Amino acid sequence: MNKNPVRQFNFRRPGIVASAVVMIAVVFAFSSCPAHTPAAGIFVYNESDPFMHEFAEQIVRQAKGRFATTLYYANNSQLIQNEQIEAERAKKSDILLVNPVDRLGAFAIIRKMKAENVPVIFFNREPLAADLALWDRTFYVGARPEQSGQLQAHMVIDLFGGNPDAPNEYDRNGDGVIQAILFKGEQGHQDAETRTTEVLRSFEKAGWKVELLGMEIANWNRDEAYSKAGSLLAAWKPALELVLSNNDDMALGVISRMRQEGWFKDSNGNGRIDQKDASWIPVVGIDGIADARESIAEGYLYGTVTNNSLQMAASIVELTEMLLGERSEQELSVPLTDGKYIWVDYQPYISR
Amino acid sequence: MKLFKKPITIGMNVFLMTFSLASVVLLLTSIVFLTVFTGIVHENIETQAKEINKQIVLNFESYINSIIETADYIQFGSVNLDAETDAATIDSLFRMNTEIKKDMVSIFLFDTAGRKIAGPTLEFATGGSVADKDWFQTALRIPEIYNFSTEQGSSVAENRSEQVITVSRSIRFKRAGREESGVLLLELNYDMITDLARKTNLGEYGHLMILDDQGRLLYTSETGEPRMTLLSAKEASSIFLGSRRVTLWNTDMFINVNTLIQTRWLIATVSNINGIRNAVKRLALIIVLIYSVSIAICATVAAVISLQVSRPVSQLKTAMLKVEEGDFSRQASVSGQTEIVSLAHSFNAMTGKIRELMARLVSQQREKRKMELQVLQNQINPHFLYNTLDSIVWLAEHDRNKDVITTVVALAHFFRIGISKGETFIPVGNEISHVRNYLTIQSIRYVNKFTYDIQVDSRLLGYRVMKLVLQPIVENAIYHGIGDEDDGKIKITGTIENGYMVFRVWNSGYGISEEKIREMYETMRGNPEKPSVGIRNVYQRLKLYYGDEAEVIITSIQDESTTVSLRIPLEPKEERDE
């Protein structure tokens, strides 16, 4: 008689096992799939670029509470960046924010993301217009490179009195021509080329004569600028009236060398470098990094052009929100140009 | 389902449970192991393939970077040079760089109209049409980058027929003190791709491809099978960037697509990862082997366990069935599981107790029966003794001394046999002579009242029979059968019929009615109210000892005769117990 319950027990056993398995699977499925918060991958070309480092941190800070972010630095290798993008795509992020290592690398990224229908916002290194035009869900947030050179030139023109025919005392030898040396970021680099061309062209346009005594390529790097400044400074010390740099970091490197060579003195003893001192000449950079602002406050660096990374980060976050459908185009603090670009203005930043 | 309709034994159950549990665990383990292993192998091989791809791309990158560096160097070196006044310096700069780099075929500078500013002598055929070239147009259209192209085919320089890759870019240069736009052209030997690609080992049919920005195949290292490249190029150009596992021509391939720095080209490596399939296949085989062996072991163990559990149980069951059939003599001998052995011990103790109780009961019953028998035997004597003594007195009164002697001798015999040293069973011969003595006594008492005749099968004489069974019947025949009539006849026969001894006491007379016979049966079977003590006594004693096999049958023919038959089982001639 009691064989029956035993048989039923045996009979049910597979059912118990199966339902246990199903339950475990369900629990796992739910635990691994929480409510979806939008996620963005941020890809920056190099961590050791202080400006980009600050910029990326700014984006992360401003995105907090709006969407999740994962930050990648590519160590200046498009190869690594490609890998990072693939890894991030495996996580099914909703949007990519890319500061490409190689502007042409954007071509493949755009085509891939178009195929996967994931929007991309490029920033701070502009892809080719033709590549951006491949898809209406690719954008660029950045500053117009030519503007930085123009502002840099005008900053100097203001210092020299504004009248090309009668420059003030900063034209140390009084020959009506500004003797200058220039530190270029990279040969062939779009920004370096543009900044270099634009700063010189702006002087010319305003009627100012600038004699370029020498040019060095220091790869945007402070140390490299420091070492490469040595020979230039030695060769042109008495005649030199202006140092132009494609970025702040190189400008600071040059300043270090100049201090060693006897430039910059606090002649009135107010704890600040005296611009009126006969040995003082202006050094101007671009970017407005923290070290540069400090140097300006101390009186070494005359001025810089601030790449308004705060505003750029804000625009990137806003644009991301727009693409996620949480913000309308009208709510962007800097409007879209041609439906693709957000141009954030550079701002001059000089010592007072 | 039919299997489950049958009742399942404990052994079967234990076997099924153990077996299914073990096989489920084993199966799950195997599946998980295989899955994890496959995953790891895939991951490893893919990582390896990616690393190879990366290395290849790095090789290309460093080469391209060196070209770009050269181009930048040339550009930067000529920034302060004037194309008109320093033409010789520029030419030597170009020549020097061409000579240093063995794969640099030529370096040219053209103005925007396609006229040569610096560089070696142009090939006559192509020299005039530089401005129409694709690389020239592209350089002007997209001035901010170096344009890599393979469309030029062979070099534009004179006496250089090698296949080239053109690197063009629009630059600014000085001529006669004025800044102008122009196009810088570097021609690279096409073989450099082959050289860079040669070092790679991507397995059988594995190959390296370079695709241009339109997805066109610029280069493939696969020389044997063009159709393979056709398939892989199609896959690669749909991947754009990243990796994918595909099967091309029944071969597992891992395609890895990367960008090529400074160009819009894609570089794709196609690695043969068929090894994974083989490794997994081999592992699956091993796992199946392990699985089957384990299942076999598991089945054996399950069977042994189930036997260990079920054997003692079924042994116990057999013993119980025997008891159910009434055989208490069997001891259940059970070995195996302790619990069941102790159960068997308890069971044995129980049957032992029952057996003991039953034995006691049987012996008690037997004692009781013996006592009843004795009591019944003793009932006869007083009647007869009284009657006989009465007739001896009568004979003595009439001086029939001879008859007195005969009677007394017969009586003595009669009693000696009747007592038979207290035995209950006596030889048939003794029982017959007992009856004869009785008849002798009675025939003296009732002179001429009846005659008698005794015929007994001599074979019967050796058997034993319960003593004093015939005499009461005969007594009955004399007193009730013959009645007051003279010349009565009594006939006693003893025969063997179908394994029974049958004694018939026949007497002449009126006979008895059916109703009377029924009454007699009733009396025999225990109605103590009725008289006829003798026949009831015989009946009950026979039943008491022989059971249903013994029978007393009364038949009668009205006005003629009555027969009382005793059917008694033949017992062995040997002495039975008691």
Side-chain angles (χ1 to χ4, degrees):
Chain A
M1 287 299 119
N2 55 0
K3 271 171 187 167
N4 231 19
V6 172
R7 193 179 71 198
Q8 280 179 2
F9 178 61
N10 185 42
F11 205 47
R12 268 189 211 142
R13 183 132 270 221
I16 292 169
V17 172
S19 57
V21 166
V22 167
M23 263 167 64
I24 290 167
V26 166
V27 166
F28 266 88
F30 273 100
S31 63
S32 65
C33 188
H36 184 78
T37 52
I42 305 174
F43 305 88
V44 177
Y45 90 102
N46 199 354
E47 190 174 13
S48 58
D49 179 333
F51 171 73
M52 281 316 297
H53 191 269
E54 243 178 82
F55 189 1
E57 297 290 329
Q58 193 57 243
I59 298 172
V60 172
R61 245 191 316 275
Q62 295 199 24
K64 196 158 279 174
R66 306 189 192 191
F67 51 87
T69 54
T70 316
L71 181 55
Y72 300 87
Y73 290 103
N75 200 18
N76 206 14
S77 161
Q78 187 60 49
L79 205 53
I80 294 176
Q81 191 165 65
N82 292 345
E83 233 173 34
Q84 290 170 336
I85 287 173
E86 202 186 353
E88 178 68 15
R89 282 304 304 138
K91 296 198 302 185
K92 303 267 171 248
S93 50
D94 304 284
I95 188 164
L96 300 188
L97 312 178
V98 185
N99 165 225
V101 178
D102 177 15
R103 62 186 313 193
L104 297 182
F107 180 59
I109 296 171
I110 291 169
R111 285 194 296 172
K112 183 174 177 68
M113 292 310 129
K114 185 182 180 185
E116 296 186 10
N117 195 23
V118 173
V120 195
I121 300 172
F122 292 97
F123 60 95
N124 225 51
R125 185 163 293 155
E126 191 188 341
L128 294 183
D131 293 349
L132 271 181
L134 285 173
W135 191 31
D136 57 0
R137 302 248 283 163
T138 53
F139 300 86
Y140 177 71
V141 176
R144 294 185 190 273
E146 63 274 18
Q147 197 185 28
S148 63
Q150 290 160 5
L151 287 173
Q152 205 178 27
H154 286 294
M155 200 186 296
V156 174
I157 289 168
D158 286 349
L159 181 69
F160 277 75
N163 184 356
D165 299 324
N168 58 17
E169 74 272 18
Y170 290 106
D171 178 16
R172 299 293 176 189
N173 60 5
D175 64 351
V177 178
I178 304 174
Q179 276 74 28
I181 57 172
L182 190 142
F183 286 81
K184 200 172 173 181
E186 256 173 70
Q187 179 59 37
H189 188 286
Q190 169 201 10
D191 284 356
E193 297 296 344
T194 312
R195 287 172 184 188
T196 306
T197 329
E198 280 303 318
V199 71
L200 297 175
R201 189 184 292 170
S202 297
F203 279 119
E204 201 181 323
K205 239 181 177 170
W208 287 78
K209 293 194 182 71
V210 173
E211 185 186 352
L212 202 56
L213 298 174
M215 199 202 287
E216 274 295 353
I217 293 170
N219 289 313
W220 311 105
N221 187 280
R222 191 182 299 199
D223 296 338
E224 214 171 314
Y226 171 82
S227 59
K228 285 186 172 168
S231 56
L232 266 183
L233 291 173
W236 304 108
K237 184 166 180 177
L240 200 58
E241 290 167 348
L242 173 66
V243 177
L244 296 168
S245 170
N246 276 176
N247 76 340
D248 287 340
D249 224 26
M250 290 191 296
L252 293 172
V254 177
I255 285 173
S256 304
R257 195 48 170 265
M258 285 170 77
R259 287 169 65 182
Q260 275 179 19
E261 304 291 332
W263 273 279
F264 304 122
K265 294 189 183 82
D266 181 10
S267 44
N268 58 9
N270 67 351
R272 198 170 177 278
I273 300 304
D274 191 1
Q275 288 191 12
K276 299 295 178 192
D277 188 275
S279 73
W280 187 87
I281 63 162
V283 179
V284 286
I286 294 175
D287 281 349
I289 63 171
D291 284 359
R293 292 197 295 269
E294 198 181 308
S295 183
I296 287 168
E298 290 165 357
Y300 294 106
L301 186 63
Y302 170 63
T304 181
V305 176
T306 330
N307 202 332
N308 193 347
S309 59
L310 216 67
Q311 179 58 53
M312 276 199 262
S315 285
I316 289 169
V317 171
E318 287 166 10
L319 193 54
T320 304
E321 285 186 304
M322 188 189 103
L323 291 170
L324 293 171
E326 289 162 10
R327 186 184 280 269
S328 72
E329 200 184 321
Q330 285 70 37
E331 288 174 289
L332 296 174
S333 53
V334 177
L336 278 171
T337 307
D338 303 334
K340 284 220 166 285
Y341 297 92
I342 291 183
W343 296 116
V344 175
D345 283 338
Y346 277 107
Q347 287 166 329
Y349 186 102
I350 56 169
S351 71
R352 298 282 165 215
Chain B
M1 289 310 273
K2 238 172 191 170
L3 188 73
F4 288 101
K5 290 240 169 90
K6 283 185 199 163
I8 291 177
T9 61
I10 293 177
M12 194 71 165
N13 226 325
V14 169
F15 177 78
L16 281 179
M17 293 270 260
T18 320
F19 185 73
S20 54
L21 196 69
S23 47
V24 163
V25 168
L26 264 171
L27 194 68
L28 279 181
T29 316
S30 308
I31 289 171
V32 167
F33 183 71
L34 194 63
T35 315
V36 169
F37 176 82
T38 310
I40 289 172
V41 168
H42 268 293
E43 213 170 283
N44 281 349
I45 300 269
E46 284 171 13
T47 309
Q48 208 181 323
K50 276 184 189 171
E51 283 306 315
I52 290 174
N53 172 277
K54 243 163 95 173
Q55 200 48 57
I56 291 169
V57 176
L58 277 176
N59 290 343
F60 275 91
E61 273 194 3
S62 63
Y63 176 76
I64 288 172
N65 278 332
S66 79
I67 296 298
I68 299 290
E69 251 170 53
T70 308
D72 284 345
Y73 175 76
I74 289 166
Q75 235 185 308
F76 189 65
S78 54
V79 158
N80 297 316
L81 297 173
D82 193 296
E84 213 162 80
T85 53
D86 307 313
T89 322
I90 293 177
D91 262 340
S92 77
L93 184 72
F94 283 14
R95 203 168 41 249
M96 199 178 70
N97 276 290
T98 313
E99 281 161 9
I100 289 171
K101 286 197 166 289
K102 68 170 171 37
D103 42 1
M104 187 77 79
V105 174
S106 62
I107 303 173
F108 289 99
L109 178 62
F110 299 99
D111 67 9
T112 47
R115 286 187 294 266
K116 190 189 91 175
I117 308 296
T121 315
L122 281 168
E123 173 81 24
F124 181 73
T126 52
S129 58
V130 165
D132 305 331
K133 298 286 185 192
D134 218 38
W135 53 262
F136 191 86
Q137 295 295 333
T138 313
L140 288 179
R141 198 174 66 244
I142 312 175
E144 60 266 54
I145 59 168
Y146 287 99
N147 296 284
F148 285 71
S149 165
T150 54
E151 274 162 286
Q152 171 59 37
S154 58
S155 172
V156 293
E158 196 182 37
N159 298 328
R160 300 295 291 257
S161 56
E162 51 258 74
Q163 287 283 108
V164 293
I165 297 166
T166 58
V167 183
S168 58
R169 179 171 192 174
S170 74
I171 63 166
R172 294 185 73 78
F173 66 98
K174 262 190 261 180
R175 183 155 67 172
R178 285 183 49 209
E179 201 163 288
E180 273 186 44
S181 283
V183 173
L184 182 70
L185 171 71
L186 285 78
E187 288 184 325
L188 304 174
N189 195 324
Y190 189 86
D191 291 343
M192 69 93 180
I193 296 185
T194 323
D195 290 344
L196 282 167
R198 190 178 294 146
K199 299 163 198 163
T200 58
N201 178 18
L202 298 167
E204 194 187 4
Y205 293 123
H207 54 278
L208 181 149
M209 294 177 297
I210 296 177
L211 306 167
D212 74 0
D213 53 347
Q214 309 294 315
R216 284 176 300 214
L217 186 69
L218 295 185
Y219 170 77
T220 175
S221 68
E222 173 65 52
T223 48
E225 184 48 76
R227 276 173 294 179
M228 182 60 119
T229 299
L230 220 64
L231 288 173
S232 60
K234 210 170 142 198
E235 283 284 343
S237 57
S238 76
I239 294 173
F240 301 122
L241 198 60
S243 49
R244 188 183 290 170
R245 200 159 52 213
V246 293
T247 304
L248 306 174
W249 270 34
N250 289 328
T251 313
D252 286 344
M253 292 289 191
F254 188 67
I255 302 184
N256 224 306
V257 184
N258 239 314
T259 55
L260 202 48
I261 197 161
Q262 303 282 5
T263 70
R264 294 155 100 195
W265 293 355
L266 295 176
I267 180 161
T269 50
V270 183
S271 312
N272 186 328
I273 53 165
N274 237 16
I276 297 180
R277 194 188 284 195
N278 294 334
V280 169
K281 232 186 246 169
R282 202 161 53 231
L283 182 78
L285 199 74
I286 290 171
I287 283 183
V288 165
L289 217 75
I290 292 175
Y291 181 79
S292 340
V293 169
S294 306
I295 282 293
I297 291 172
C298 172
T300 313
V301 169
V304 167
I305 291 174
S306 81
L307 259 184
Q308 261 177 9
V309 172
S310 68
R311 194 178 41 209
V313 172
S314 71
Q315 280 171 341
L316 193 59
K317 191 184 80 185
T318 314
M320 282 177 162
L321 275 177
K322 282 274 189 274
V323 170
E324 211 175 289
E325 286 162 8
D327 181 1
F328 288 87
S329 65
R330 198 70 70 85
Q331 283 274 328
S333 66
V334 171
S335 57
Q337 302 304 95
T338 328
E339 292 87 344
I340 296 171
V341 168
S342 77
L343 189 67
H345 282 318
S346 303
F347 176 75
N348 282 341
M350 185 188 79
T351 50
K353 206 81 176 175
I354 291 174
R355 196 165 53 228
E356 198 186 301
L357 283 172
M358 275 177 50
R360 197 183 297 166
L361 197 68
V362 165
S363 77
Q364 273 174 356
Q365 285 293 326
R366 190 170 290 160
E367 280 307 305
K368 197 175 153 202
R369 230 167 14 177
K370 208 152 90 184
M371 272 158 66
E372 279 176 16
L373 271 175
Q374 266 164 0
V375 167
L376 288 171
Q377 273 171 11
N378 293 342
Q379 272 180 356
I380 316 166
N381 296 339
H383 280 268
F384 174 66
L385 189 58
Y386 170 77
N387 288 338
T388 308
L389 286 176
D390 193 41
S391 56
I392 289 171
V393 168
W394 186 82
L395 285 173
E397 275 174 359
H398 291 81
D399 292 330
R400 287 167 63 176
N401 295 338
K402 225 178 177 174
D403 286 342
V404 169
I405 290 164
T406 312
T407 309
V408 171
V409 168
L411 188 63
H413 277 287
F414 179 83
F415 274 113
R416 198 168 64 205
I417 292 167
I419 292 160
S420 299
K421 298 171 196 159
E423 281 180 27
T424 311
F425 295 90
I426 54 172
V428 171
N430 288 5
E431 178 69 11
I432 296 298
S433 58
H434 182 254
V435 168
R436 205 183 296 275
N437 284 322
Y438 175 74
L439 283 172
T440 306
I441 292 164
Q442 292 299 61
S443 60
I444 289 169
R445 178 162 148 74
Y446 303 105
V447 188
N448 300 325
K449 206 125 188 254
F450 65 89
T451 55
Y452 65 91
D453 179 28
I454 299 174
Q455 290 171 9
V456 176
D457 190 333
S458 61
R459 284 176 302 168
L460 261 179
L461 298 178
Y463 288 97
R464 280 174 175 265
V465 69
M466 184 182 277
K467 73 176 178 185
L468 311 187
V469 287
L470 280 176
Q471 182 269 332
I473 308 296
V474 174
E475 187 179 329
N476 225 39
I478 293 170
Y479 289 123
H480 304 295
I482 299 167
D484 299 331
E485 240 185 303
D486 288 343
D487 297 329
K489 280 191 183 90
I490 292 176
K491 201 154 103 199
I492 297 165
T493 58
T495 54
I496 296 176
E497 293 175 16
N498 303 327
Y500 292 98
M501 53 177 90
V502 178
F503 296 102
R504 288 198 181 84
V505 177
W506 178 93
N507 67 275
S508 59
Y510 302 117
I512 38 177
S513 62
E514 290 286 318
E515 199 182 338
K516 179 78 178 153
I517 288 172
R518 217 166 21 248
E519 251 175 54
M520 281 175 74
Y521 278 128
E522 260 177 53
T523 309
M524 285 193 310
R525 280 160 196 161
N527 193 339
E529 303 294 312
K530 304 285 174 181
S532 187
V533 175
I535 195 161
R536 190 174 75 125
N537 184 299
V538 169
Y539 177 84
Q540 297 211 329
R541 276 161 60 213
L542 284 176
K543 284 290 178 187
L544 206 59
Y545 183 75
Y546 295 105
D548 286 340
E549 292 207 82
E551 197 53 81
V552 176
I553 302 147
I554 303 168
T555 52
S556 179
I557 302 168
Q558 205 73 31
D559 294 327
E560 209 165 281
S561 65
T562 304
T563 310
V564 176
S565 312
L566 302 184
R567 195 186 69 179
I568 297 166
L570 267 179
E571 301 235 334
K573 287 179 183 176
E574 293 82 36
E575 270 232 349
R576 48 172 297 143
D577 62 317
E578 314 225 6

